């Protein structure tokens, strides 16, 4: 069995390959990357795979049985990029495709859902046996917010009382490995999220507890939060997206209590305390 992983040079891809290597001989793993030299340290075969260069896609999938398509990072371009990957997978005769999507991609108000949903539809239309891993938020998404809180003495955001069932990239990588190596996952869609949901006030309280400082959460109107992010150097367009996702969060977009992730990986997801500990460093 040969498993190929896209986004191998990314954070989730790297962790997933490390974990796969503990369970599968390295010669059964292929790292797909637009810049394979960045994947040279992974200790597995690398092949050129650039979503923007469709001619690189099908040849790189020769001899591959299972493809893990880790969603790309070029927001706004991913619909056609992922469609090209799915078409190449079909052409190469891939036996199963596993895709990292977004929690409730088909109904989420989070704008990112559109491209994920489009990709899911392309996968279903291809007829290739599939598993959809609808990943919730990464705890690591709060890395910059936590650093900002440490620097300025307050955590800012616009998510109000919205509860966030986040988990670490390592937890989601465990889920990918479980599905890639396990049986009975074909045709399944998993809504994956952390076991324990927290609000941004809970996050601030945990930072306070671990640092011994009093770091409150300041909930801001979306426009003020976006302006604060822009002031801190975040590009205006991205700042507006982040503020918008916080409003979605305040409306429950990142809450989930199905525990599908911990069931799939066979252990509890990373706690808020451990997640914050890693972010504080
Ligand atoms: N659930 C969440 O909270 C959350 C948060 C952030 C992102 N995400 C999604 O989950 C994915 C994985 O997360 P991550 O933290 O590993 O992201 P990441 O570190 O940004 O990795 C993204 C990967 O996609 C690759 N990529 C981007 N454009 C490509 C292209 N045109 N052709 C081939 N490869 C391309 C990147 O390659 P290079 O190394 O060459 O750039 C990189 O390997 C992200 O890409 C994004 O879709 C989810």
């Amino acid at each position: 069995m040969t498993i190929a992983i896209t986004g191998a040079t990314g954070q989730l891809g790297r962790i997933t390959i490390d974990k796969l290597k503990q369970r599968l001989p390295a010669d059964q793993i292929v790292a797909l990357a637009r810049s394979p030299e960045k994947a040279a340290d992974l200790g597995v075969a690398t092949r050129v795979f650039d979503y923007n260069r469709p001619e690189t896609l099908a040849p790189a999938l020769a001899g591959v049985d299972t493809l893990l398509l880790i969603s790309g990072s070029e927001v706004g371009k991913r619909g056609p990029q992922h469609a090209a990957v799915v078409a190449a997978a079909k052409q190469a005769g891939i036996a199963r495709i596993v895709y990292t999507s977004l929690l409730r991609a088909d109904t989420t108000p989070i704008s990112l859902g559109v491209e994920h949903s489009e990709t899911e539809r392309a996968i279903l239309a291809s007829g290739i046996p599939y598993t959809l891993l609808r990943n919730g938020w990464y705890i690591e998404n709060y890395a910059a917010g936590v650093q900002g809180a440490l620097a300025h003495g307050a955590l800012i955001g616009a998510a109000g009382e919205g509860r966030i069932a986040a988990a670490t990239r390592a937890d989601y990588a465990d889920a990918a490995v479980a599905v890639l190596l396990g049986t009975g996952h074909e045709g399944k869609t998993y809504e994956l999220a952390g076991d324990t949901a927290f609000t941004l006030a809970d996050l601030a309280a945990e930072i306070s507890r671990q640092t011994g400082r009093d770091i409150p959460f300041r909930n801001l109107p979306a426009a003020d939060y976006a302006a604060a992010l822009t002031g801190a150097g975040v590009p205006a367009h991205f700042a507006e997206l982040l503020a918008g996702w916080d409003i979605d969060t305040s409306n429950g977009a990142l809450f989930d209590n199905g525990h599908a992730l911990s069931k799939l990986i066979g252990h509890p997801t990373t706690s808020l305390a451990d997640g914050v500990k890693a972010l504080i460093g």
Side-chain angles (χ1 to χ4, degrees), residues 33-85:
R34 57 178 161 183
S35 309
E37 67 281 3
K38 279 174 66 182
D41 61 315
L42 288 170
V44 300
T46 61
R47 295 184 189 169
V48 176
F49 199 80
D50 186 338
Y51 308 149
N52 294 327
R53 292 167 55 217
E55 71 279 10
T56 64
L57 303 177
L61 298 177
V64 170
D65 304 297
T66 303
L67 174 66
L68 172 62
L69 171 55
I70 293 183
S71 52
S73 46
E74 297 178 323
V75 175
K77 294 184 180 172
R78 298 180 297 178
Q81 287 179 334
H82 294 169
V85 175

Side-chain angles (χ1 to χ4, degrees), residues 6 77 79 102 106 109 130 145 177-178 206 223 229 232 251 264 272 274:
T6 78
K77 294 184 180 172
L102 177 68
D106 52 345
Y130 67 88
V177 170
E206 186 56 31
L229 291 171
N251 293 319
L264 195 54
L272 176 62
D274 285 346

Side-chain angles (χ1 to χ4, degrees), residues 213-252:
R213 295 168 55 189
D214 180 22
I215 298 184
F217 168 54
R218 296 229 170 86
N219 193 50
L220 302 173
D224 294 0
Y225 179 44
L229 291 171
T230 311
V234 177
H237 175 64
F238 191 54
E240 274 170 32
L241 284 177
L242 287 170
W245 299 338
D246 256 26
I247 297 301
D248 296 331
T249 302
S250 73
N251 293 319

Side-chain angles (χ1 to χ4, degrees), residues 8-255:
T9 53
Q11 300 163 90
L12 182 63
R14 285 188 165 276
I15 301 169
T16 305
I17 289 175
D18 273 348
K19 288 177 178 285
L20 261 184
K21 277 169 62 186
Q22 292 164 26
R23 305 266 307 272
L24 200 65
D27 64 2
Q28 292 179 30
I29 304 169
V30 175
L32 301 170
R34 57 178 161 183
S35 309
E37 67 281 3
K38 279 174 66 182
D41 61 315
L42 288 170
V44 300
T46 61
R47 295 184 189 169
V48 176
F49 199 80
D50 186 338
Y51 308 149
N52 294 327
R53 292 167 55 217
E55 71 279 10
T56 64
L57 303 177
L61 298 177
V64 170
D65 304 297
T66 303
L67 174 66
L68 172 62
L69 171 55
I70 293 183
S71 52
S73 46
E74 297 178 323
V75 175
K77 294 184 180 172
R78 298 180 297 178
Q81 287 179 334
H82 294 169
V85 175
V86 175
K90 184 80 181 164
Q91 195 186 329
I94 293 292
R96 185 161 64 113
I97 186 162
V98 178
Y99 175 60
T100 64
S101 184
L102 177 68
L103 186 67
R104 297 185 290 271
D106 52 345
T107 57
T108 184
I110 295 178
S111 55
L112 297 165
V114 174
E115 289 177 319
H116 287 295
S117 211
E118 212 177 313
T119 306
E120 291 186 354
R121 287 197 300 274
I123 291 170
L124 265 65
S126 75
I128 302 170
Y130 67 88
T131 308
L132 303 178
L133 300 174
R134 288 182 167 171
N135 291 347
W137 237 221
Y138 302 153
I139 293 181
E140 293 92 334
N141 291 347
Y142 296 100
V146 168
Q147 290 309 319
L150 294 176
H152 302 294
L155 178 72
I156 58 167
E161 294 297 305
R163 294 172 71 199
I164 303 154
T168 57
R169 284 189 181 90
D171 293 325
Y172 296 112
D174 280 337
V177 170
V179 161
L180 289 169
L181 299 182
T183 54
H185 301 297
E186 280 184 24
K188 298 260 177 75
T189 297
Y190 294 104
E191 305 287 357
L192 301 179
D195 284 331
T196 315
F198 56 86
T199 63
L200 291 185
D202 295 333
L203 176 58
E206 186 56 31
I207 301 167
S208 302
R209 193 185 69 79
Q210 291 194 23
T211 58
R213 295 168 55 189
D214 180 22
I215 298 184
F217 168 54
R218 296 229 170 86
N219 193 50
L220 302 173
D224 294 0
Y225 179 44
L229 291 171
T230 311
V234 177
H237 175 64
F238 191 54
E240 274 170 32
L241 284 177
L242 287 170
W245 299 338
D246 256 26
I247 297 301
D248 296 331
T249 302
S250 73
N251 293 319
L254 294 177
F255 179 68

